[in-house]
Amino acid sequence: MLIIVVALVSIGSSTAYYLYITQKSKGCLDPENFKEFKLVKCTQLSHNVAKLKFALPTPTSVLDLLIEQHMSCRAQFP
């Protein structure tokens, strides 16, 4: 009986771990739709280059971008 309980617990914990590591990332970007982010800071580096800093929706939000990935931006000017 004890062997069956240990086996069931092992199967259950293995399944839970598998589901945890294979779940889809919950980054705050959507590849299909533009999202709005508040511009926090704009630093002009040269006449045609600026460094932009945006706020994420929550303090625990992540972009979920790898180093070699990029994102497109668009802006409205008054």
Side-chain angles (χ1 to χ4, degrees):
M1 181 68 158
L2 181 61
I3 294 174
I4 294 172
V5 171
V6 171
L8 290 175
V9 169
S10 177
I11 292 170
S13 62
S14 298
T15 303
Y17 178 73
Y18 174 78
L19 292 175
Y20 173 75
I21 63 171
T22 59
Q23 72 183 12
K24 186 175 175 164
S25 174
K26 293 185 171 124
C28 61
L29 296 177
D30 180 357
E32 302 297 323
N33 301 302
F34 276 95
K35 289 188 162 188
E36 291 188 15
F37 296 96
K38 181 181 178 182
L39 180 63
V40 175
K41 185 177 181 182
C42 178
T43 306
Q44 195 72 35
L45 301 177
S46 70
H47 73 282
N48 64 349
V49 176
K51 181 179 177 181
L52 306 174
K53 182 178 181 180
F54 294 93
L56 298 179
T58 68
T60 59
S61 293
V62 293
L63 287 178
D64 198 32
L65 288 177
L66 299 175
I67 292 173
E68 67 274 3
Q69 290 182 317
H70 71 281
M71 57 188 221
S72 298
C73 299
R74 66 180 180 192
Q76 293 180 343
F77 296 98

